[in-house]
Amino acid sequence: MSSTTTRGRGTARAVTTGVALAAVLLAAGCGTSDDRTPPAATTSAATPSADATSAGTDDPASVLTSYGLELPAGAADVQAEPRTDDTMTDAWLVTFSAPTDEVEAMCVDAGIGAPRVSLSLTADELASYGLDAVPQDAWACEASRPSDMRQQIRVLFDGEPATVRVALYTMPER
């Protein structure tokens, strides 16, 4: 084997090792950026999972995006609250107000179907929305995320502009 071939393999090995080391350091949070800010404190005693943290901490738009939803353009008073439950991981309740047609489009665009009248919900479903009773004239759309069947999306809204509650969670792996 010539010395040129040996040197080429050594260089390739050094580059591969350097790239792997850089990936490990970035994954560990040892980047060079100084503009990182700690996540905002939440009012809930719940602690978001690692999946939720990677989805953008408690930024509502990032939480929705991590589930394939897009915040409607007319959304106002947007909040995201991490939720805990023994049966769910990466659970969130995102609330906002928005024009009803934009909420309906959000459901259809995410691939979870057109909204339907919501007449009754189980106690667990109500709890996921942070409610004690179904609001009058409520509509809902819900399904597993088409690209990740473990991710569950439930949208409940009522009124005009709509008061919107989006319950999101990831089913645990079995």
Side-chain angles (χ1 to χ4, degrees), residues 83-96:
R83 309 290 277 199
T84 58
D85 184 303
D86 293 340
T87 62
M88 302 181 280
T89 61
D90 191 27
W92 291 89
L93 176 61
V94 178
T95 58
F96 57 92

Side-chain angles (χ1 to χ4, degrees), residues 90-157:
D90 191 27
W92 291 89
L93 176 61
V94 178
T95 58
F96 57 92
S97 63
T100 302
D101 60 336
E102 290 184 16
V103 179
E104 292 170 356
M106 178 185 76
C107 290
V108 172
D109 291 348
I112 60 172
R116 59 176 170 63
V117 173
S118 184
L119 301 175
S120 65
L121 296 172
T122 67
D124 287 342
E125 290 170 329
L126 285 168
S128 72
Y129 293 119
L131 296 172
D132 295 324
V134 178
Q136 185 177 2
D137 300 323
W139 289 78
C141 56
E142 59 184 46
S144 297
R145 181 178 181 189
S147 64
D148 183 350
M149 298 304 280
R150 289 181 51 230
Q151 287 186 320
Q152 302 298 301
I153 304 166
R154 294 179 176 180
V155 180
L156 183 71
F157 61 98

